[in-house]
Amino acid sequence: MHTVLITGATDGLGLALARRYRAQGSVVLMVGRRPPSALDPAFFTPESYCQADLALPDAPQRVVAWLDAQGIPALDLLIHNAGLGYVGDLAIQDADNLRALVDVNLWAPIALSHALFPRLQRAQARCVFISSVAADLPGPRYAVYTATKAALDGFARNWRAELRADGSGVTVQVIHPGAVRTAMH
């Protein structure tokens, strides 16, 4: 039985992954920004769901404190799935949306990986980053989104090399899905 933590688990790819891993018998821990009252209480229980808005600077500490409260000392798999997809010409985008894109799509996975590293190392875990084909396929109206995904890819590539060199046993994988029928699209 594996312990899996998935960010952005309340809908779309994250929810599909949570359902799949749970059906396979894994202990599935989910992180999302939605309040528990807006979610299915049979699936999102206090023991399996941590409400944390990854756009906020204290999110990694909230997740760590929640894992501590649940008595979860190690993670076998961490899936960084949470993401925002604001699009539009840079000149007309709201500055708060631009900041949120960088915070959720890039900063949160880096900060959360850092905060959870001891738990990952204990299990010699796999850390998966859900990126996007957009990281390599620039297009109009996606400049900031594409930049966050390209930067995430760069971080994951370099962290993978670092982890190989330090012998921690933690591995890194990046997945590049195309457009998926989710709330983002």
Side-chain angles (χ1 to χ4, degrees), residues 14-54:
L15 181 56
L17 289 167
R19 287 179 175 149
R20 175 90 182 224
Y21 279 105
R22 189 172 287 176
Q24 293 175 350
S26 295
V27 173
V28 177
L29 308 169
M30 300 168 286
V31 176
R33 63 183 168 183
R34 290 189 184 161
S37 61
L39 302 169
D40 175 3
F43 195 76
F44 294 91
T45 67
E47 297 78 27
S48 69
Y49 180 66
C50 172
Q51 181 185 3
D53 184 344
L54 296 178

Side-chain angles (χ1 to χ4, degrees), residues 85-91 93 98 101-102 105 134-135 137-151:
Y86 301 125
V87 297
D89 295 338
L90 179 64
Q93 288 219 20
L98 297 176
L101 278 167
V102 173
N105 294 357
L137 299 171
R141 308 189 76 218
Y142 281 86
V144 179
Y145 174 80
T146 300
T148 64
K149 293 301 187 175

Side-chain angles (χ1 to χ4, degrees), residues 104-139:
V104 173
N105 294 357
L106 179 60
W107 177 244
I110 293 171
L112 201 52
S113 295
H114 177 261
L116 297 177
F117 186 73
R119 285 175 167 84
L120 300 173
Q121 191 173 26
R122 278 187 205 105
Q124 296 187 333
R126 183 170 38 149
C127 186
V128 176
F129 296 89
I130 305 296
S131 183
S132 171
V133 295
D136 292 321
L137 299 171

Side-chain angles (χ1 to χ4, degrees), residues 6 10 24 28 36 47 61 69 84 97 110 115 119 131 160 163 183:
I6 303 169
T10 59
Q24 293 175 350
V28 177
E47 297 78 27
Q61 293 76 23
L84 295 176
N97 287 356
I110 293 171
R119 285 175 167 84
S131 183
R160 181 185 304 124
L163 291 169

